[in-house]
């Protein structure tokens, strides 16, 4: 249906239906493999390692071997790569998207990161850029020989990685940095190294490093257009504010990319102008009822800056931490209705915070999703890296 100004209108009901289908959340839309999930969402948030697995498991038709299949995609088949991307955040991307992310987003951040490292080293009287280049080349050579290695293992091959320098002397946040910590971070943003297998289980935040897969160098503007096209195809409609927030780009870059892909402007129930890809198809058929238990930092829950169409503002203090990170959420038919947590004995417990529309059918579906999650998790215990009020209360 068109709006008053003749533009196509996409209301909240259709947005929720699109989310169910395109984000693989309705039972009939669930995916066959982790790679399919990542491609549908463009990227899986990876700041908390467990999020990748939990986000995949929530969307697989058969989640029983979620961990093994996701590990194979990440560390054996290399169908997924864990690397820095939008907003200087760690994500797991489909391998064919790494060049696009690198050119569209990472290069600008990488230049700032390297300049910042050199500036901090100079202030502390540490060695200069030539010295850092020598250490970098030696580190990459060591990593090539080892295949995968921890920072400690690399420092055994290149002892200069153990060098330390003072940071922000005289400030309240003064500290001491090790060259390995800062340099490996810079190399990661520059697309030279990626995160490899974790130390310990799949929930561990400690990991090994590996050389990044080779990829072509792309034009930055073309890469931005491609990244925006892929994201709008699965997450559109989105406003300029949504796009600027998700990408971390300047508004001029967002507008240039929108023009490059000839994005279609649409009107929204929430007001303002949204955008979809030029060949976007409306969702007109009704979507089956669905429930989902999504993890902390899930890309659906964190996908837009304006979240009122799927998350009531009064729920935010319960479901977000002080830095704006979302915790585990319970969904019913396209909106967040509560939170969940795992207790020490493995039980999955949910709390409904918004009872509107959560009838007997909804509660039964939510309970079924909790049982489904509990089954495939098995003996694993998951505590979110960024904890929220409801998660803390439920897990106690």
């Amino acid at each position: 249906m068109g709006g008053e100004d003749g533009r196509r209108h996409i209301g909240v009901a259709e947005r929720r239906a699109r989310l169910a289908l395109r984000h693989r959340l309705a039972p009939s839309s669930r995916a066959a493999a982790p790679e399919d999930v990542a491609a549908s969402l463009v990227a899986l948030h990876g700041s908390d390692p467990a999020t990748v697995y939990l986000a995949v498991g929530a969307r697989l038709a058969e989640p029983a071997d979620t961990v093994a299949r996701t590990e194979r995609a990440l560390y054996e088949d290399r169908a997924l790569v864990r690397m820095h991307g939008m907003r200087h955040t760690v994500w797991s991307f489909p391998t064919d998207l790494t060049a696009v992310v690198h050119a569209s987003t990472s290069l600008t951040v990488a230049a700032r990161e390297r300049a910042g490292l050199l500036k901090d080293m100079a202030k502390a009287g540490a060695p200069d850029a030539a010295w850092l280049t020598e250490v970098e080349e030696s580190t990459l050579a060591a990593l090539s020989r080892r295949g995968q290695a921890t920072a400690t293992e690399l420092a055994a091959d290149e002892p200069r990685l153990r060098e330390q320098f003072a940071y922000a002397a005289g400030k309240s946040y003064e500290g001491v940095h090790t060259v390995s910590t800062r340099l490996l971070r810079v190399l990661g943003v520059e697309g030279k190294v990626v995160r490899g297998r974790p130390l310990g289980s799949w929930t561990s935040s400690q990991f090994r490093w590996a050389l990044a897969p080779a990829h072509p160098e792309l034009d930055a503007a073309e890469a931005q257009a491609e990244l925006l096209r892929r994201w709008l195809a699965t997450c559109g409609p989105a406003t300029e504010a949504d796009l600027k927030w998700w990408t971390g780009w300047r508004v001029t870059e967002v507008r240039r990319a929108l023009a490059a892909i000839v994005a279609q402007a649409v009107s929204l129930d929430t007001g303002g102008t949204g955008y979809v890809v030029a060949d976007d198809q409306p969702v007109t058929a009704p979507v089956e009822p669905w429930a989902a238990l999504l993890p902390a930092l899930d890309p659906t829950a964190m996908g837009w800056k304006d979240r009122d169409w799927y998350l009531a503002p009064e729920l935010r203090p319960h479901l977000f931490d002080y830095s704006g990170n979302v915790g585990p959420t319970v969904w019913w038919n396209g909106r967040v209705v509560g939170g969940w947590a795992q207790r020490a004995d493995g039980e999955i417990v949910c709390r409904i915070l918004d009872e509107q529309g959560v009838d007997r059918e909804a509660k039964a579906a939510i309970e079924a999703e909790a049982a489904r999650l509990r089954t495939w998790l098995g003996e694993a215990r998951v505590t979110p890296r960024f904890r929220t009020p409801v998660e803390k209360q439920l897990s106690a």
Side-chain angles (χ1 to χ4, degrees):
M1 180 179 294
E4 293 182 0
D5 58 0
R7 290 185 298 179
R8 174 183 169 189
H9 181 76
I10 299 181
V12 167
E14 183 178 351
R15 294 187 79 176
R16 293 175 178 173
R18 293 157 73 92
L19 184 152
L21 301 175
R22 299 181 184 185
H23 285 219
R24 306 283 197 156
L25 292 169
S28 62
S29 298
R30 286 177 177 157
E35 299 92 318
D36 299 331
V37 174
S40 295
L41 295 170
V42 180
L44 299 169
H45 208 299
S47 295
D48 185 338
T51 294
V52 175
Y53 296 84
L54 293 168
V56 167
R59 295 169 170 87
L60 287 180
E62 300 293 338
D65 55 351
T66 292
V67 173
R69 294 166 70 190
T70 305
E71 285 185 332
R72 185 166 62 247
L74 281 165
Y75 307 124
E76 296 175 23
D77 299 340
R78 285 289 182 183
L80 302 177
V81 176
R82 191 164 174 245
M83 59 180 278
H84 277 89
M86 297 75 68
R87 306 191 309 280
H88 202 180
T89 299
V90 177
W91 305 79
S92 288
F93 297 99
T95 302
D96 68 351
L97 196 59
T98 57
V100 170
V101 174
H102 179 67
S104 66
T105 304
S106 300
L107 283 177
T108 301
V109 176
R112 291 199 303 265
E113 281 290 303
R114 183 170 286 271
L117 173 55
L118 291 171
K119 181 179 179 180
D120 291 341
M121 289 175 63
K123 283 183 177 180
D128 59 14
W131 179 91
L132 187 65
T133 298
E134 287 182 8
V135 177
E136 173 186 338
E137 292 173 350
S138 175
T139 299
L140 292 174
L143 191 54
S144 178
R145 292 191 298 270
R146 286 180 176 270
Q148 292 195 18
T150 64
T152 301
E153 289 169 337
L154 290 171
D157 296 336
E158 174 44 83
R160 288 176 291 183
L161 286 171
R162 300 192 188 101
E163 295 283 342
Q164 295 182 328
F165 60 92
Y167 173 77
K171 302 289 181 63
S172 60
Y173 48 92
E174 177 182 353
V176 176
H177 282 188
T178 303
V179 170
S180 63
T181 302
R182 292 288 298 273
L183 178 59
L184 286 169
R185 181 178 179 84
V186 169
L187 295 178
V189 181
E190 289 178 341
K192 296 175 182 176
V193 300
V194 295
R195 284 159 170 74
R197 284 189 180 275
L199 299 176
S201 76
W202 56 275
T203 62
S204 174
S205 293
Q206 295 181 305
F207 52 88
R208 299 172 177 86
W209 292 97
L211 292 178
H215 57 72
E217 296 298 325
L218 304 178
D219 174 77
E222 292 178 2
Q224 287 179 332
E226 175 61 13
L227 183 63
L228 202 71
R229 184 193 66 77
R230 292 205 194 192
W231 193 79
L232 279 182
T234 192
C235 295
T239 65
E240 278 189 1
D242 292 329
L243 295 167
K244 183 177 182 295
W245 177 84
W246 188 82
T247 59
W249 302 341
R250 300 187 303 274
V251 68
T252 52
E253 294 175 301
V254 169
R255 291 172 178 171
R256 182 180 64 191
L258 285 170
I261 65 172
V262 196
Q264 178 186 358
V266 299
S267 61
L268 306 171
D269 284 350
T270 52
T273 298
Y275 295 91
V276 295
V277 291
D279 57 352
D280 182 83
Q281 297 300 310
V283 175
T284 55
V287 176
E288 71 219 83
W290 61 275
L293 269 60
L294 300 184
L297 297 176
D298 187 87
T300 298
M302 293 287 287
W304 297 262
K305 183 177 182 181
D306 176 13
R307 299 168 181 144
D308 289 357
W309 60 276
Y310 64 87
L311 174 65
E314 58 267 26
L315 269 59
R316 296 182 187 182
H318 305 283
L319 297 173
F320 285 75
D321 72 4
Y322 291 115
S323 298
N325 300 303
V326 71
T329 50
V330 176
W331 293 66
W332 174 244
N333 286 345
R335 64 189 183 92
V336 177
V337 297
W340 65 271
Q342 185 184 35
R343 290 183 173 158
D345 63 359
E347 181 186 6
I348 303 297
V349 287
C350 301
R351 178 176 296 169
I352 303 303
L353 300 171
D354 183 353
E355 294 282 353
Q356 182 181 357
V358 183
D359 54 15
R360 183 179 301 176
E361 177 190 18
K363 291 177 180 177
I366 290 167
E367 289 174 3
E369 285 304 302
R372 182 174 183 263
L373 174 59
R374 174 71 181 89
T375 298
W376 78 255
L377 278 177
E379 297 302 312
R381 300 292 180 266
V382 180
T383 301
R385 182 177 175 187
F386 306 104
R387 307 195 68 184
T388 55
V390 163
E391 188 276 328
K392 289 179 183 178
Q393 294 164 11
L394 290 176
S395 63

